[in-house]
């Protein structure tokens, strides 16, 4: 990895070799930045506070060996990355403003792709994981992870059934607890629909009636106007001497017709005058018909106004202002649909009740399968961790799992009892430790000292490492709180693990570092930063000096040097 402008690191290169690599250095020298850098390459959260003060961005670049055809290689190629001779280049940039970019094999990709690759490439185990494993929920997750497909298969089915049951129960609860409200709503809808059905409004009827009412209300004025207009156009039969428009236009038309042959322009005017004469005749005839057909029936007007009042009442109750009877008809259609839904609640409640009972029965079976699988895996897991503890200077310690349930009359049936259940089953899982013969098993958070706890957690991590199909494991100071012979055993155990995988350990223990195939020293310059030359591979005398410092805080102490050389000799003898 190359790390630039990240925390105390200005610009440094970290070369990790096969086997066991130990990363050491003074407190605050930047060892943790190695872990942080790897975390960024694996899609970890980009914290702008990590960017070195004064820098615009932090950059981490890594070169990772990935066999062709491996899941990580396939996923990288799907994202558009190119692999060169089984090597995958990954880079992550974090700006001081918080923006983050990721590249794989020369192709820009979403950060989420890095997280997908991480599951196939590296397993990170650190102090945060230790503290998390003190919680029963995390212990259950750890057991499920160890059990593999025996748990993940039924757990996937259980989770789907559990989500469906929650959905069904919520809907059923709403239908039953709101039954009174829904019945009241249905009554109101029925009343409204019956009232509208009683009036039987038609689309556009309100507009038609408004026009008719306007006409009937002014019938006399309309008839008088039509009569006066007709007389002006066609004359009054009772007044032969009167002058009317039709007679005048006819005289004008005859005068023009007499001379139209002498001038085409005048002939055109004569034609138009003829058209006027025809139009006057048509209008006069229609006015006569209008006056004859005009109904001034006050009874009809009263009926129209009564009908309009009924429609206005509906509009006021069920329509929108200005939208008239169309809004009432729309409300009627929507309400009829809603009433059908409400009237179907009883049937729906019955259907949901049947489905709920079926789902509870299904969950009972799946919860029982989960309990059985966890119980079987717990025995194997506890035995494997106990064997690891024997290799970590705790030969008489015994680890076990307590798997139980809490009775709940509203729960599901498991093992002949009705017990509480949740999204992960009905089991309560807790890791127990009996540190020596005769001691009762107790929760590890209460039954282990600080050093014992670290060793238990490391044993758990190592057991996980044996089941994780990844080529690289990173342990971040999981040996905290351990010293002496136990520390030597931890180093020996990590060295054994490194025979089948790449192991990187950030440690402050010389007993652990001595077992490493390669030791990297992280040290600051005088200005408090780590530069390219600040991460060095220790060999020969330099490694002895660093181990002496780690042992006694004094690089040139003869006693510390002798102890350091003895540690290295012991490690070589084991190898």
């Amino acid at each position: 990895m190359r790390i630039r402008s990240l925390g105390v690191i200005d610009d440094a290169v970290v070369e990790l070799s096969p086997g066991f690599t130990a990363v050491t250095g003074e407190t605050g020298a930047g060892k943790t930045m190695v872990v942080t850098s790897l975390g960024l390459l694996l899609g970890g959260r980009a914290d702008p506070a990590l960017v070195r003060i004064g820098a615009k961005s932090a950059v981490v670049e890594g070169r990772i060996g990935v066999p062709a055809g491996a899941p990580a290689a396939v996923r990288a190629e799907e994202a558009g990355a190119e692999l060169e001779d089984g090597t995958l280049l990954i880079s992550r940039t974090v700006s001081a403003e918080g923006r983050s970019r990721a590249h794989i094999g020369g192709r820009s990709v979403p950060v989420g792709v890095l997280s997908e690759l991480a599951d196939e490439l590296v397993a990170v185990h650190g102090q945060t994981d230790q503290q998390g494993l003190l919680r029963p929920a995390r212990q259950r997750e750890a057991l499920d992870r160890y059990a593999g497909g025996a748990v993940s298969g039924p757990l996937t089915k259980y989770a789907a059934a559990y989500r469906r049951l929650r959905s069904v129960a919520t809907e059923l609860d709403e239908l039953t607890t709101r039954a009174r409200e829904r019945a009241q709503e249905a009554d109101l809808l029925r009343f409204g629909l019956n009232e509208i059905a009683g009036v039987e409004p038609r689309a556009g009827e309100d507009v038609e009636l408004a026009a008719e009412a306007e006409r009937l209300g002014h019938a006399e004025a309309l008839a008088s106007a039509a009569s006066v207009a007709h007389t002006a156009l066609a004359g009054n039969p009772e007044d032969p001497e009167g002058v009317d428009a039709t007679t005048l236009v006819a005289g004008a038309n005859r005068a023009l017709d007499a001379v139209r042959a002498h001038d085409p322009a005048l002939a055109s005017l004569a034609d138009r005058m003829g058209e006027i004469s025809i139009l006057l005749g048509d209008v006069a005839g229609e006015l006569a018909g209008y006056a004859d057909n005009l109904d001034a029936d006050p009874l009809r007007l009263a009926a129209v106004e009564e009908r309009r009042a009924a429609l206005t009442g509906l509009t006021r109750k069920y329509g929108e202002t200005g939208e008239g009877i169309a809004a009432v008809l729309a409300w009627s259609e929507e309400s009829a649909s809603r009433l059908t839904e409400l009237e179907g609640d009883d049937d729906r409640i019955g259907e949901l009740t049947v489905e709920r009972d079926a789902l509870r029965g299904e969950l009972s079976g799946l919860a029982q399968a989960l309990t059985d699988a966890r119980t079987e895996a717990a025995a194997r897991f506890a035995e494997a961790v106990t064997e690891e503890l024997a290799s970590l200077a705790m030969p008489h310690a015994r680890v076990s799992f307590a798997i139980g349930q809490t009775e709940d009359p509203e729960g599901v049936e498991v093992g002949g009892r009705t017990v509480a259940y949740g999204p992960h089953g009905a089991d309560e899982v807790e890791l127990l430790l009996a540190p020596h013969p005769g001691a009762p098993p107790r929760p590890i958070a209460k039954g282990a000292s600080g050093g014992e706890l670290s060793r238990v957690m490391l044993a758990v991590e190592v057991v996980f490492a044996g089941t994780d199909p990844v080529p690289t494991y990173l342990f971040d100071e999981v040996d905290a709180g351990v010293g002496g012979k136990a520390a030597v055993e931890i180093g020996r155990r990590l060295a054994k693990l490194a025979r089948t995988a790449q192991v990187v350990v950030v440690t402050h223990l010389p007993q652990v570092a001595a077992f490493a195939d390669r030791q990297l020293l992280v040290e600051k310059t005088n200005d408090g930063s780590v530069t390219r030359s600040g991460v060095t591979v220790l060999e020969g005398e330099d490694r002895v000096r660093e181990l002496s410092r780690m042992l006694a805080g004094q690089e040139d102490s003869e006693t510390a040097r002798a102890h350091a050389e003895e540690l290295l000799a012991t490690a070589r003898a084991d190898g």
Side-chain angles (χ1 to χ4, degrees):
M1 291 189 299
R2 183 180 182 186
I3 309 166
R4 287 177 287 171
S5 301
L6 185 70
V8 298
I9 298 180
D10 179 23
D11 188 346
V13 175
V14 179
E15 296 182 7
L16 305 176
S17 65
F20 181 4
T21 299
V23 181
T24 64
E26 294 276 7
T27 300
K31 300 189 301 297
T32 300
M33 285 299 104
V34 175
V35 180
T36 302
S37 300
L38 190 55
L40 287 173
L41 284 183
L42 300 177
R45 188 175 67 89
D47 185 354
L50 295 173
V51 179
R52 184 169 173 77
I53 296 175
K56 294 182 179 180
S57 61
V59 180
V60 182
E61 300 168 307
R63 181 184 292 111
I64 301 178
V66 182
V74 173
R75 181 65 187 93
E77 289 172 346
E78 289 175 352
E82 295 183 2
L83 279 72
E84 299 180 2
D85 299 327
T87 298
L88 183 62
L89 300 179
I90 301 178
S91 71
R92 181 82 179 275
T93 303
V94 181
S95 72
E97 290 79 24
R99 293 188 299 274
S100 173
R101 298 195 309 274
H103 290 80
I104 299 177
R107 179 64 61 89
S108 178
V109 297
V111 173
V113 176
L114 299 184
S115 300
E116 296 175 23
L117 296 178
D119 295 336
E120 307 291 341
L121 296 174
V122 181
V124 180
H125 305 289
Q127 295 185 58
T128 302
D129 301 295
Q130 285 192 13
Q131 296 303 316
L133 280 171
L134 295 179
R135 300 194 299 271
R138 285 294 301 277
Q139 292 171 14
R140 175 190 50 72
E141 292 174 6
L143 178 59
D144 289 354
R145 176 177 151 207
Y146 178 81
V151 165
S152 63
L155 184 57
T156 299
K157 297 178 182 178
Y158 177 94
Y162 178 82
R163 288 192 298 270
R164 177 57 188 163
L165 177 59
R166 291 288 298 272
S167 175
V168 168
T170 298
E171 185 178 355
L172 190 57
D173 182 63
E174 180 185 357
L175 289 176
T176 53
T177 58
R178 294 186 56 201
R180 182 176 179 181
E181 297 176 18
R182 297 168 78 89
Q184 290 174 343
E185 182 184 357
D187 287 342
L188 290 174
L189 292 176
R190 286 193 199 95
F191 178 84
L193 289 170
N194 289 335
E195 187 174 10
I196 294 172
V199 177
E200 295 184 336
R202 293 182 293 103
E205 184 181 4
D206 51 344
V207 177
E208 296 172 4
L209 290 174
E212 186 177 0
E214 185 72 13
R215 186 170 63 253
L216 290 171
H218 298 83
E220 292 183 6
L222 293 172
S224 176
S227 178
V228 170
H230 179 268
T231 300
L233 294 179
N236 187 350
E238 298 179 0
D239 183 12
E241 301 298 328
V243 180
D244 58 81
T246 301
T247 300
L248 294 174
V249 171
N253 194 26
R254 286 193 299 273
L256 294 176
D257 275 343
V259 295
R260 63 184 296 155
H262 305 301
D263 187 351
L266 192 61
S268 176
L269 292 174
D271 291 340
R272 292 169 62 188
M273 185 61 71
E275 293 173 0
I276 293 174
S277 180
I278 295 171
L279 182 59
L280 283 175
D282 290 343
V283 173
E286 291 183 14
L287 284 171
Y290 177 84
D292 292 339
N293 295 327
L294 188 62
D295 187 4
D297 185 0
L299 293 178
R300 174 57 186 166
L301 176 60
V304 167
E305 292 296 354
E306 183 179 353
R307 179 66 176 173
R308 291 185 68 200
L311 295 179
T312 300
L314 293 181
T315 302
R316 193 163 43 243
K317 286 184 179 181
Y318 308 109
E320 296 289 339
T321 303
E323 295 186 13
I325 207 66
V328 174
L329 295 174
W331 182 90
S332 177
E333 183 177 352
E334 294 173 0
S335 298
S337 175
R338 173 62 174 163
L339 183 60
T340 301
E341 178 184 336
L342 291 173
E343 289 176 337
D345 279 355
D346 290 343
D347 293 339
R348 182 61 177 158
I349 288 175
E351 294 172 0
L352 290 173
T353 301
V354 171
E355 184 177 5
R356 179 198 62 188
D357 294 342
L359 286 168
R360 288 170 68 89
E362 182 181 357
L363 282 181
S364 292
L366 291 170
Q368 183 66 64
L370 286 172
T371 298
D372 295 342
R374 284 169 176 157
T375 301
E376 188 278 331
R380 291 187 291 108
F381 192 13
E383 181 180 358
V385 173
T386 298
E387 290 179 3
E388 289 298 330
L389 289 177
S391 301
L392 296 173
M394 293 180 66
H396 304 297
R398 293 291 180 271
V399 167
S400 60
F401 274 98
I403 300 178
Q405 300 84 27
T406 300
E407 293 195 9
D408 183 351
E410 301 297 322
V412 297
E413 185 174 335
V414 176
R417 298 185 303 142
T418 303
V419 298
Y421 65 100
H424 305 288
D427 301 320
E428 298 170 358
V429 177
E430 193 161 27
L431 186 61
L432 307 178
L433 172 68
H436 52 80
R442 300 181 63 194
I444 57 173
K446 302 176 181 178
S449 65
E452 289 174 336
L453 180 60
S454 290
R455 279 178 280 174
V456 171
M457 289 305 178
L458 180 58
V460 169
E461 301 292 359
V462 170
V463 170
F464 276 148
T467 61
D468 280 348
V470 294
T472 300
Y473 302 95
L474 173 63
F475 294 92
D476 181 17
E477 297 194 10
V478 292
D479 50 14
V482 177
K485 182 180 179 182
V488 173
E489 296 300 332
I490 289 174
R492 183 176 285 119
R493 188 63 190 89
L494 290 172
K496 181 179 179 182
L497 179 63
R499 294 172 187 169
T500 56
Q502 182 184 37
V503 177
V504 181
V505 179
V506 178
T507 182
H508 66 284
L509 292 180
Q511 297 94 328
V512 172
F515 280 86
D517 300 308
R518 191 183 210 191
Q519 183 172 348
L520 300 180
L521 173 64
V522 181
E523 55 185 349
K524 295 180 180 179
T525 58
N526 293 332
D527 64 359
S529 67
V530 176
T531 63
R532 181 180 294 272
S533 61
V535 180
T536 55
V537 179
L538 298 179
E539 296 179 350
E541 182 63 22
D542 291 334
R543 188 172 185 187
V544 172
R545 287 170 61 84
E546 171 62 8
L547 290 175
S548 300
R549 181 200 63 76
M550 297 172 69
L551 282 163
Q554 300 176 2
E555 299 176 354
D556 298 323
S557 167
E558 289 300 325
T559 302
R561 286 177 59 82
H563 192 182
E565 291 172 349
E566 182 181 357
L567 279 176
L568 288 171
T570 301
R572 293 191 188 100
D574 283 358

